[in-house]
Amino acid sequence: MKRIRFIIPVLLLGLSGTCVPAYAPSLTAYASETAAQNQPEENAGESSSDNGTSDEETAETELVPQLLDTDKVSTDDILLYSSACVVMDTQNNAILYSKNRSDRHYPASTTKILTTFLALERTDLSDTITFSEEAVNSINWWDSSNMELEPGDQLTVEQTLYGVMLQSANEAAYGLAEYVSGSVDAFAQDMTDYAISLGCRMTHFTNASGLHDDNHYTTAKDLALIASAAAQNEDFRTITGTINYSVENINYKAMTPETEESQEGDHSTGNEAASESTQTTPELVPEPFPLYNHHKMVNNEYPYEGCYGGKTGYTEEARNTLVTYARRGDIDLVCVVMDCPGGGNYIYDDTALALDYCFENYERLLEEYNEAQALLDYPDMALMDWYHPEITPLSAQEGYYPYLKESMAVYTQYLENQASQEALDEAIEDKSLEAFMEYSRMNQYRPLIIVCVILFVVLVALSLVLIYIARRFKRRRRRRRYEAMKRQRLTENQKEADNQKENEP
């Protein structure tokens, strides 16, 4: 019995020693996966993979872009991974390509484009900002992009803007908001009002950073309008296209290298007093804080011809969001991609594909856009078009039209109807049969409708006339019958009176 009690613990120890090494790799893999999923904003989906997987291994699990039945696209020539996209010409705000451009999404850190643009409009680059405790401590330092600022730190507006756009520093954005408008809430309201003035109709901001809030949203079209307006500012173009920048005047400190005397003191084993006398205490001295542009097309991790700036964005709710500026020759475009899955370079692949399509087909797309926009000059057409009752000026403005496939055919038909209406007006004015025949030749349906309406009116009028005549005849018959009955009654009364006279003695 004693031997059995001794053997059982030994066997248990042996089994545990065998299982633990086998289980350890799975624990390590789980930890790596968890760390990858919990990447902070501006890192997840943007930096290269840290788990050691090769591009070939990643390619085996790549997503396939699909076009859903509910997607509203200007063309199905290209397929994107992202839920929404707009490519806009920054010189005239012409939308050359769109996918679900009016669907609501969260902008994440691309919000900082308007934060920077609004600050540039209302401050000087040389102004000094003192960061408050509320601005610095209003973020979660462990999972939020920051510049390691401390309450009381001072930066110029220019340094702060580089921190906002390159480092995507959230506490810098809040400090900037307080400096411009007095508070973050007031600045957010200013942002919303400014977006509305740019033509944004489905945008609302609640903060200056883009950290998630259910009431902080925009659309690909509205964000493109904001980005296009910002591109007109030279200082903004300079900031968004900068790859590296160092903030010199920041309260960021590092230890000075150890001197030879301190190294000798560290290794001496003799008299402790002598050792202390030879050591020097390391000093903390100011050191530049490096800023690095996270946009891969800007920093050339994902090279793209003509790219001169942009802004990244990521939150769990928004997923990956990207704004990219590119110029080739005289064509200056901005591409907005929203709600893109993470992993690989899906968001950059989408951006490159959309921009390439618009650069290659620029003249045709611009001409189609201008022709389609002419529909907005004729709001009555949407009310008079019996063949397409779903087309309204509002739907045209929000992007569901004129980007329907039959849009240009409808527009052509409208112009023909307009010409035929002029011909009809001329026929009515001149009382000309030839002009009416010309109108009939131009529009074979409307004359038929007009004739049907005229016939209907004539039939109604005839019916009323017939009813009136019938009633008149009926009244006459009643009157005649009444008069006949009256005469008959008088005759009978007269005969009865005559009979009474004859019978009297």
Side-chain angles (χ1 to χ4, degrees), residues 67-73 100 103 400:
L67 183 62
L68 305 178
D69 294 337
T70 56
D71 288 336
K72 302 177 181 66
V73 296
N100 300 326
D103 288 359
Y400 301 107

Side-chain angles (χ1 to χ4, degrees), residues 362-424:
Y362 177 79
E363 298 295 338
R364 174 178 63 84
L365 295 175
L366 181 61
E367 181 179 359
E368 290 179 358
Y369 174 82
N370 290 332
E371 291 178 352
Q373 283 299 105
L375 284 170
L376 299 180
D377 297 333
Y378 304 98
D380 293 340
M381 186 276 286
L383 303 177
M384 299 296 292
D385 189 350
W386 296 344
Y387 304 103
H388 298 273
E390 75 282 0
I391 300 171
T392 65
L394 179 61
S395 66
Q397 183 178 4
E398 292 305 325
Y400 301 107
Y401 186 81
Y403 290 106
L404 299 172
K405 292 182 179 179
E406 66 271 16
S407 62
M408 296 313 299
V410 173
Y411 181 60
T412 302
Q413 182 64 40
Y414 169 72
L415 294 179
E416 294 177 356
N417 292 345
Q418 186 183 33
S420 63
Q421 183 63 45
E422 293 174 354
L424 177 61

Side-chain angles (χ1 to χ4, degrees), residues 270-279:
N271 190 350
E272 293 182 0
S275 175
E276 292 178 359
S277 64
T278 56
Q279 290 181 350

Side-chain angles (χ1 to χ4, degrees), residues 290-432:
L291 305 176
Y292 183 69
N293 199 318
H294 297 158
H295 196 300
K296 289 186 177 182
M297 287 183 173
V298 179
N299 62 34
N300 291 322
E301 291 184 36
Y302 190 112
Y304 186 80
E305 179 187 353
C307 177
Y308 65 84
K311 184 71 186 76
T312 58
Y314 172 84
T315 62
E316 290 184 2
E317 294 79 6
R319 300 204 295 175
N320 288 284
T321 303
L322 190 69
V323 175
T324 306
Y325 297 98
R327 184 180 184 89
R328 294 181 185 176
D330 296 332
I331 306 174
D332 195 325
L333 306 180
V334 59
C335 177
V336 174
V337 180
M338 307 190 76
D339 190 22
C340 183
N345 286 315
Y346 296 134
I347 198 164
Y348 293 99
D349 293 339
D350 281 358
T351 299
L353 187 62
L355 284 174
D356 284 341
Y357 173 79
C358 293
F359 276 123
E360 294 169 3
N361 302 278
Y362 177 79
E363 298 295 338
R364 174 178 63 84
L365 295 175
L366 181 61
E367 181 179 359
E368 290 179 358
Y369 174 82
N370 290 332
E371 291 178 352
Q373 283 299 105
L375 284 170
L376 299 180
D377 297 333
Y378 304 98
D380 293 340
M381 186 276 286
L383 303 177
M384 299 296 292
D385 189 350
W386 296 344
Y387 304 103
H388 298 273
E390 75 282 0
I391 300 171
T392 65
L394 179 61
S395 66
Q397 183 178 4
E398 292 305 325
Y400 301 107
Y401 186 81
Y403 290 106
L404 299 172
K405 292 182 179 179
E406 66 271 16
S407 62
M408 296 313 299
V410 173
Y411 181 60
T412 302
Q413 182 64 40
Y414 169 72
L415 294 179
E416 294 177 356
N417 292 345
Q418 186 183 33
S420 63
Q421 183 63 45
E422 293 174 354
L424 177 61
D425 295 339
E426 181 182 353
I428 294 174
E429 181 178 356
D430 299 340
K431 298 180 181 180
S432 169

Side-chain angles (χ1 to χ4, degrees), residues 202-224:
M202 303 179 68
T203 294
H204 184 264
F205 295 111
T206 60
N207 59 63
S209 65
L211 291 175
H212 180 71
D213 187 301
D214 288 342
N215 293 319
H216 188 98
Y217 54 81
T218 187
T219 67
K221 173 190 172 184
D222 285 0
L223 187 54

Side-chain angles (χ1 to χ4, degrees), residues 84-221:
C85 175
V86 162
V87 179
M88 179 178 288
D89 189 334
T90 63
Q91 301 174 83
N92 50 33
N93 288 348
I95 298 177
L96 307 180
Y97 171 78
S98 68
K99 176 182 179 181
N100 300 326
R101 70 178 189 175
S102 296
D103 288 359
R104 181 183 296 182
H105 293 285
Y106 301 120
S109 282
T110 54
T111 299
K112 296 182 175 76
I113 292 176
L114 184 54
T115 301
T116 300
F117 180 44
L118 192 57
L120 287 170
E121 292 286 311
R122 301 185 178 183
T123 63
D124 292 327
L125 294 178
S126 59
D127 292 351
T128 301
I129 300 176
T130 301
F131 291 87
S132 67
E133 183 174 357
E134 182 179 359
V136 171
N137 295 329
S138 60
I139 66 171
N140 187 334
W141 287 81
W142 297 105
D143 60 359
S144 179
S145 300
N146 60 81
M147 293 176 62
E148 302 182 14
L149 294 174
E150 298 177 0
D153 283 351
Q154 292 185 337
L155 295 177
T156 64
V157 169
E158 181 178 10
Q159 293 171 331
T160 304
L161 292 178
Y162 275 101
V164 169
M165 286 297 292
L166 272 62
Q167 186 71 12
S168 198
N170 293 313
E171 86 277 32
Y174 289 145
L176 186 66
E178 291 180 349
Y179 178 78
V180 175
S181 301
S183 69
V184 175
D185 291 340
F187 187 79
Q189 184 60 51
D190 290 345
M191 292 173 68
T192 301
D193 295 340
Y194 198 86
I196 292 174
S197 71
L198 295 176
C200 303
R201 294 294 179 264
M202 303 179 68
T203 294
H204 184 264
F205 295 111
T206 60
N207 59 63
S209 65
L211 291 175
H212 180 71
D213 187 301
D214 288 342
N215 293 319
H216 188 98
Y217 54 81
T218 187
T219 67
K221 173 190 172 184

